[in-house]
Amino acid sequence: MRSGGRTGTVPPPGPTVGASMVVIDQITKNFGRAGTAALSSCSLDVPVNEILCVIGPSGCGKTTLLRIVDGLIPADEGRVLINGTEVTAPRPDVAMVFQHFGLLPWKTVQDNVAYGLRVQGRAEREIADAVPRYVDLIGLRGFERSYPYQLSGGMQQRVGLARALAVNPMVLLMDEPFGSLDAQTRELMQEELLRVWRSQPKTMLFVTHSIGEAVILGDRVALMTRRPGRVKEIIEVGMSRPRDPETVRRSARYLELREHIWHQLKVEVLEGDGS
Amino acid sequence: MSVAAQRGRAAGRREGAAGLSPTAIRVLSVMVGVLAWEAYGRVLHSVLFTYPSAVVRAAYELIAAGELQFYLKSSVVVLSLGLVLAIVLGIPLGVLMGRRAVIEHAVDPYVNALYATPLVAVIPVIVVWLGFQTKAKVVLVFLFCIFPILINTYQGVKNTDARLVEVARSFCSKEWRLWRDLILPSSAPFILAGIRLAIGRGLIGMVVAEFYTTITGLGYMIVQYANTFRMDRLFVPVVVLMMMGVALTGALRYLERRIAPWLYVAREE
Ligand SMILES: Nc1ncnc2c1ncn2[C@@H]1O[C@H](COP(=O)(O)OP(=O)(O)OP(=O)(O)O)[C@@H](O)[C@H]1O
Ligand SMILES: [Mg+2]
C-alpha cells in the first residue's frame, strides 16, 4: 500500500481492531413453497478477531445462518457485510467447516486438506509446507494417504477442520466442528484451535451444542431462539485471553454462565414443545 | 500360515455341494458344452451345421490366408473410431447437460427421441448420405454408442452430492475445477457403466452396418460365408466378436476398479 501521499484518509491495509468484521443485518430466510421459516430478522455483529459462539435448539437455523454468511445461499431479506462489503457469493477469505464434514471421498486425507489451497491456486511450495502442519495439528499423522472411508467419523471431522484452517482465512465459519469427537479429543482440539487463533488471529463464528465449549472458546455467546431463529441474548463471557481451558472449567464464572445459558436454552426448547 | 493355505481356506468357504470352486464349475460347464456341441455336430454330419473343431480348423485357414486379420482390422478401426468419438463428445455434453439447465432442456428432446428410435432404421439414410465406406460405419457406431454414454454421464452429474458442490463453491472453486475435482470422479461409475453399455451397442451397430454395406469387416465375412453355406468359416467372425465383447467389457471392469477404488474397497471390508 502506498504511504499517505494522497489527501484524505488512506484505507487501512487490513481490518481495524475493534471494527466489525461480520455484520449480519436483519436476515430472514424461508425454505420452499411451504415457507418453512428458518430465520426471522436475525442480527449479529462480530468484531474483528472475536470468537463468537452460537448456541441454540436443534433446527433453529444455525446452519442456514452460516450458509448465508458464506454466500452459499441468498437471504430473503436483510444483508451480510464482511469487512465492510456485502456478501453476494462465497469469498476466498472466508472458510467454512461443515457439519456434514463434506470430504471428497476420492481424495486422500492430504489431498482433502490441500483442497482449498489447490482450488485457490496457491503455490505447490506453500501447499507442501502447509499440509503436513495441519495434518499434525489435527493429530492424523500417519493417515495422510488414507481415504475418508478408512477414517472414523471424528477423524473425518478433523480433516474438514484442517481443510478450512489451511487456507488461513480471515473469517472462519464453524458448524459444530467438534460434534463427532469424544470428550478428550474435543478438549485437545479446543486447545489447538485457541493456539491457532493466538498465532493467526481470525474472526470466528462457532456453532456448537456444547454450552461448556461455547464458554471456553467464545468472547461472547449468542443464544438463538427456536425456529424461526433470532438472536435471543448475547452473553459476554468476560474471561481474559490467553485462556487455559482447564482453569476456565474450574472458575466460578464458568459455572455461573453454564447455569444461565442452560436455563435459557431449556426455556426455548420447552416452549417449542408446547406450540 | 502360508498364503496358499489361506487362499485354500477362503476358497473352501465358497465350496458348493460338489466341493468345487466357482471357477472350476465355470470351466467344467464350458467344457461340457463345447464337447456336447462337438459330439452332436459330428453325429449329425450336415453341411448346414458345424462343430468346434471344424471352426478351429477354419479359423486357422483364415488366419493363415490373412483374411481374418484383414477384416478384423477394418472392424476394429470402425468400432474404436466410433466409440472414441462417442466418449469424447458424449462425456462433456453429458456434463454440460447436467450442469446447465438451458443446455439440458435444449438437448433432451433430441436425446430422448434418438435414444428411443431403433437406430437400425436410420442405416439406409446414413448410407445414402455418407456412402459405403468407413465414414458411414463410424457414424453409425457413434450413433449407437453416444446415447448410453451421454445419458449415463448426465445421470451421474445429476447424482453428484449437492452438499459437496456446496463445499466446492464455499472454497470458490472455478467451474472447470469443479468438473475435475467433483463432477467427474463422482459420476465416474455412471460414465464407465455407460461406456460398457456403449460397447455392446457399438458391436451391434458395427456388425449391422457391415451387413448392410457388405464391403469389408467381420459382418461382411458373416454375410459372405452364410451365402455360401460355409458354416465353419461363418462361426470364426462370430467367435471373434464374442471374444471382443467379453475382452472389452472385462477391461472396462478392471478400469472401473482402478479409477474408482473408493467404491470397491469400502464394499470389500
Ligand atoms: N435446504 C432446505 N430446504 C428446506 N428446509 C430447510 C433446508 N435447510 C434447512 N431447512 C429447515 O430450516 C430449519 C433450520 O435448519 P438448520 O439446518 O439451519 O438448523 P440447525 O440450527 O443447523 O440445526 P442443527 O443444530 O440440528 O444442525 C429446519 O427446520 C430445516 O427443516
Ligand atoms: Mg446445523
Side-chain angles (χ1 to χ4, degrees), chain A residues 67 70-72 90-92 94-96 98 100 102-107 115-116 118-120 149 163-164 167, chain B residues 160 163-174 177-178 180-183 185-187 261-263 265-266 269:
Chain A
R67 286 170 76 210
D70 199 22
L72 292 169
R91 315 166 32 132
V94 178
M96 178 136 157
F98 291 83
H100 56 75
L103 303 185
L104 305 187
W106 40 85
K107 288 191 187 285
Y115 176 73
R118 291 236 163 82
V119 156
Q120 295 178 6
Y149 63 79
R163 177 177 63 187
V167 299
Chain B
T160 307
R163 297 183 310 178
L164 292 184
V165 176
E166 196 161 88
V167 171
R169 286 183 48 223
S170 170
F171 283 101
C172 304
S173 175
K174 299 232 172 32
R177 273 227 64 134
L178 186 74
R180 211 180 85 186
D181 291 327
L182 210 67
I183 308 274
S186 122
S187 37
W262 63 91
L263 284 174
V265 183
E269 264 129 46

Side-chain angles (χ1 to χ4, degrees), chain B residues 97-99 101 104 153-162 183 187:
Chain B
M97 271 180 77
R99 291 291 299 165
E104 175 182 354
T153 305
Y154 166 77
Q155 293 284 352
V157 172
K158 282 283 172 185
N159 253 288
T160 307
D161 189 345
I183 308 274
S187 37

